[in-house]
Amino acid sequence: MKVLVATEKPFSAKAVKEIRAKIEDAGHEFAIIEKYTSPEQLREAAADADALIVRSDIVDEALFAAAPKLKIVVRAGAGYDNIDLKAATAAGVIVENTPGQNSRAVAELVIGMAIMAARNKFSGTTGFEISGKRLGLQAFGQVSRHVAEIAKGFGMTVTAIDPYCPVEVMAQNGVGVAESLDDLYGGNDIVSIHIPATPETVGSIGRALIEKMPKGAVLINTARKEVINEAELTQVLEERPDLKYFADVKPACAADLEARFPDRVFFTPKKSGAQTAEANLNAGVAAANQIVAYFADGTDRFRVN
Ligand code: 3PG
């Protein structure tokens, strides 16, 4: 079987070497396309592929049409909103993700951003310590659990809300339970967003929640830009000169926000949460192992469609 690694944002060389070894040791053919600049290039590379390993790369109906031999796509990462699941199912292609494999890396970035915001982007002006402050986590999945653990090491009080996570799990992790989103946003100095982009969540974080944040609060988004109502965020930042928005998922209106609120917003130039040697290796090798297992005996434990 031909396994294509298709990553516009490449894995580390070491991760690629390990992925290749896993694929070839199992008797499959390895191919790779990195830093491609158009969907056509991806379609061309995938034309005779049986399996695909991707990151945030767009896998849509046109790609399935261009890759008729495709049997499985593994998203080396957690969020799979970049893959058209309906089109995949219609094309008879299995889609999997690799949950948890890059979450420590994202969690460390959240804490880094919290400190960067607390220290006014290291401008030399007087900031604050995150120690003793309140951290609210919107959703309590793999990334949040790491964030909570690290934040508690800094002496933060951590509260979370997640309709899909039993409260016992939060308690086991030493995390308080927020009664509502209003309470989460209203009762924390720093709120970190960890929800996926779904039809229910897109545009769901706007004025009603953000304006509840206490004086001097920081909103951190390492999840997906689509969950923010950008027009309302902009309005609240205008009205509340004490609030900050730091994101690893650049908003569509980034240039406007940077021009208007240069000291209070920060956006990574490219999504960097999962961009560590460790996360590349963990997620990439997990993806390779999942493909090898699927071709060996049909194992599809991480299937999402
Ligand atoms: C994920 O969903 O796993 C993260 O957003 C990381 O995405 P990336 O692989 O594009 O860096």
Side-chain angles (χ1 to χ4, degrees), residues 9 55-56 75-80 102 106 222-224 271 273-275:
K9 181 173 63 186
R55 296 185 64 178
S56 290
R75 195 285 192 234
Y80 45 87
N102 59 17
V106 181
T222 55
R224 290 294 181 269
K271 185 155 62 117
Q275 202 59 326

Side-chain angles (χ1 to χ4, degrees), residues 18-32:
E18 293 286 321
I19 295 166
R20 179 181 200 129
K22 293 279 173 198
I23 303 293
E24 291 181 345
D25 287 354
H28 302 299
E29 185 189 342
F30 172 88
I32 187 161

Side-chain angles (χ1 to χ4, degrees), residues 274-296:
Q275 202 59 326
T276 65
E278 294 85 349
N280 282 181
L281 199 59
N282 292 343
V285 170
N289 282 334
Q290 287 171 217
I291 286 172
V292 169
Y294 177 70
F295 285 139

Side-chain angles (χ1 to χ4, degrees), residues 7-199:
T7 48
E8 183 273 322
K9 181 173 63 186
F11 289 126
S12 67
K14 187 174 177 212
V16 172
K17 197 171 159 215
E18 293 286 321
I19 295 166
R20 179 181 200 129
K22 293 279 173 198
I23 303 293
E24 291 181 345
D25 287 354
H28 302 299
E29 185 189 342
F30 172 88
I32 187 161
I33 175 172
E34 293 177 322
K35 295 185 187 171
Y36 60 89
T37 51
S38 74
E40 290 76 28
Q41 274 177 284
L42 175 57
R43 290 201 281 270
E44 207 175 298
D48 60 347
D50 298 280
L52 207 54
I53 295 175
V54 295
R55 296 185 64 178
S56 290
D57 308 80
I58 303 297
V59 181
D60 57 10
E61 202 174 354
L63 180 65
F64 292 119
K69 292 171 73 185
L70 207 55
K71 296 156 190 69
I72 178 167
V73 176
V74 180
R75 195 285 192 234
Y80 45 87
D81 48 309
N82 52 313
I83 301 175
D84 185 335
L85 294 189
K86 223 171 133 201
T89 306
V93 178
I94 284 176
V95 180
E96 299 185 4
N97 66 348
T98 65
Q101 300 292 347
N102 59 17
S103 41
R104 188 74 183 186
V106 181
E108 289 192 8
L109 185 73
V110 172
I111 300 297
M113 284 186 151
I115 294 173
M116 191 186 185
R119 295 306 184 98
N120 300 324
K121 296 170 86 172
F122 309 120
S123 63
T125 56
T126 302
F128 65 86
E129 294 168 19
I130 62 170
S131 170
K133 300 300 183 298
R134 301 163 299 173
L135 172 68
L137 301 171
Q138 186 175 358
F140 199 63
Q142 305 275 358
V143 177
S144 284
R145 291 171 206 199
H146 285 293
V147 175
E149 186 204 329
I150 303 169
K152 285 193 293 161
F154 274 92
M156 300 189 85
T157 305
V158 187
T159 306
I161 190 164
D162 188 334
Y164 304 103
C165 177
V167 290
E168 297 76 42
V169 173
M170 295 186 196
Q172 281 156 15
N173 284 273
V175 166
V177 182
E179 292 291 317
S180 65
L181 280 174
D182 284 356
D183 287 347
L184 190 86
Y185 278 76
N188 286 289
D189 306 295
I190 298 173
V191 171
S192 187
I193 300 166
H194 296 286
I195 52 175
T198 66

